[in-house]
Amino acid sequence: MKDTSGESRLRFGGSARSLLPAMALAAMALIGCADRPRGTLSDAARLRLTEAMDRNNPAAPDAASLAVLRDAAARNPSDIVAQERLAQGALAAGFPAEAAAALRRALAISGPVQSRLLELGRAEIRAGNATGAVEAYRQAQAAGPPNPAIFGGLGLAYDMAGDSASAEEAHRRAVAMAPQDWTLRGNLALSLLFAGRASEGVRALSSAESDSAAPRRARHNLALLLTADSQMARAVRVLRMDMGPAEADAMARDFQAFAQWVGTVRSPPTRLLPSVEPVVPPPPATDPATPAATPASSSPSMDPVANPGEARPRRGRRS
């Protein structure tokens, strides 16, 4: 059966490029760009809020609506529209593994449609299933024309799996195809960070400091990399481009704690700012539909993506 019209396509609200919330890469990016009340949230609370962002999606269906979508998909297993609507609702409600299962049923009917395989890869990343995500993106690569979102997603999946060499290759291919895409460049830089190469990550993203077209998230990712590279004074200067001195100092301390937690600080951190204890976020809420994920998926963001749970990133041969 052939693919249906665009009406049945999922509208997940973003490309694979913006999936920083699925890994630790996402946590960083989301913490970096979220507006927060001053002095009201602890580091641990902010990390928990980051983890919950997908689950608190305002567009998420309520339990009754999701039950209707599940029933329709179960009664019409060969209906692509029913499967895709369930996938969309399940993902919005915070059940990415269920969304991935619905997309696989749709693909069994339609065959290897690149756009649908991309959506599957995104859902698998959010579910923490690195192996499933790699497979989906590889199939998407074979199913259609070259697409930077494919390589960006592959980079995230390999980062989750702890394969830093394959991750770097995929991220660099994505950036080569879309050099002006700040999210792809940020994902490459953060991947280098988790590979223990913070200085290279800084160089990959350093133009965000002077380029007026750079978004806020790019500058905050750069600030995170700078703290990991023990360049605290410069990190604060970059953050002050978007906020006041007190808030910039507080965010730099957050980033310093995060870099210490994941073990990516290049050398003993500068005491320019008061030191803080590393914060380890609690385990993500259990998704009843989520199968056992690939071991040690990396979870600072890259929808949250990465985000897009935030488990401690696997270091691989270390980023």
Side-chain angles (χ1 to χ4, degrees), residues 168 172 189 192-193 196-205 225 229:
E168 180 182 356
R172 289 194 184 280
L192 291 168
L193 168 69
R197 296 153 63 191
S199 297
E200 292 179 54
V202 167
R203 289 195 292 273
L205 205 55
L225 287 151
D229 198 39

Side-chain angles (χ1 to χ4, degrees), residues 257-280:
F258 191 89
Q260 289 175 323
W261 169 57
V262 297
T264 57
V265 175
R266 173 175 57 82
S267 59
T270 317
R271 295 307 175 193
L272 194 112
L273 298 174
S275 61
V276 293
E277 292 297 321
V279 176
V280 179

Side-chain angles (χ1 to χ4, degrees), residues 76-163:
N76 302 282
S78 62
D79 186 334
I80 292 179
V81 174
Q83 303 306 322
E84 291 197 321
R85 285 177 177 169
L86 172 58
Q88 180 182 354
L91 194 68
F95 299 108
E98 184 177 7
L103 285 165
R104 284 193 293 270
R105 289 194 293 271
L107 283 159
I109 301 164
S110 68
V113 178
Q114 188 183 67
S115 59
R116 192 165 289 130
L117 287 162
L118 279 169
E119 302 294 357
L120 175 58
R122 295 164 189 153
E124 296 284 28
I125 281 181
R126 289 194 180 188
N129 183 4
T131 300
V134 169
E135 180 181 358
Y137 285 120
R138 286 300 185 195
Q139 290 180 15
Q141 185 181 3
N147 186 332
I150 293 172
F151 294 106
L154 270 174
L156 295 180
Y158 283 127
D159 275 315
M160 290 175 67
D163 184 348

Side-chain angles (χ1 to χ4, degrees), residues 38 236 239-240 242-253 273:
R38 296 189 184 188
V236 171
L239 289 171
R240 287 185 183 184
D242 295 301
M243 61 191 70
E247 190 175 4
D249 288 353
M251 187 168 286
R253 289 194 295 271
L273 298 174

